[in-house]
Amino acid sequence: MQSSEAPRVVVGVDGSPSSYAALRWADRYARVVGGVVEAIHVWDTPSSRGWSGPAIDPAFDLQQAKERFTRELRTVFPDGPPAGLKEHLVEGDPSEVLVRASKGAALLVLGRRGRGGFTRAILGSVSHRCAQHAACPVVVVPRDRDPGH
């Protein structure tokens, strides 16, 4: 990253309260450091994993992912996304996508617990893998205590 470039703050958004807190945190941080936020929502077509999944139309899955990402951003920013927010909708494994996106970033911001099912774990599986393998510092943000922010 050259000194003339604005710092990239990459944040994973999966629809969980922790990811909403992470997106709000990333936005505040980016404003302080003069950076840009790249919000990444990762989706996966169940049938893309092989023969065991049901036959699903990938175009339909993509449309659902776009709609879900739009709702998630509207939930966090009801008055519209902040200026300069970059939105990325990427198909694949969340850990792999976010680790790849961390290359050249100033910071990777994640929620402590995502939508996975292991509620007793301290970190979610994605945040845990990203903390181990990201190419930049990682901030793990807990869920907001106050649902209004």
Side-chain angles (χ1 to χ4, degrees):
M1 183 168 73
Q2 297 175 349
S3 60
S4 63
E5 292 180 18
R8 284 178 49 237
V9 180
V10 176
V11 58
V13 181
D14 70 357
S16 68
S18 290
S19 76
Y20 294 164
L23 184 53
R24 282 190 283 275
W25 191 96
D27 179 54
R28 288 189 303 268
Y29 178 81
R31 289 173 195 242
V32 169
V33 300
V36 296
V37 175
E38 293 186 10
I40 300 178
H41 177 87
V42 183
W43 69 284
D44 192 16
T45 301
S47 62
S48 69
R49 294 186 185 154
W51 294 100
S52 62
I56 296 177
D57 179 4
F60 178 73
D61 286 346
L62 175 60
Q63 185 58 38
Q64 284 185 320
K66 285 179 184 176
E67 291 169 4
R68 187 170 42 250
F69 192 28
T70 299
R71 280 193 310 271
E72 292 166 356
L73 292 175
R74 202 174 310 133
T75 297
V76 177
F77 304 115
D79 297 328
L85 176 74
K86 296 180 181 180
E87 304 168 19
H88 301 285
L89 184 63
V90 183
E91 183 178 15
D93 175 82
S95 303
E96 292 173 11
V97 169
L98 292 168
V99 166
R100 208 170 34 246
S102 74
K103 292 182 176 116
L107 201 60
L108 173 61
V109 183
L110 303 166
R112 184 176 71 89
R113 296 273 329 124
R115 295 172 55 164
F118 299 104
T119 57
R120 288 184 165 195
I122 293 172
L123 290 178
S125 59
V126 172
S127 55
H128 187 258
R129 283 191 298 249
C130 288
Q132 290 179 320
H133 301 290
C136 66
V138 177
V139 172
V140 180
V141 179
R143 177 180 175 171
D144 286 335
R145 297 287 179 222
D146 175 9
H149 296 49

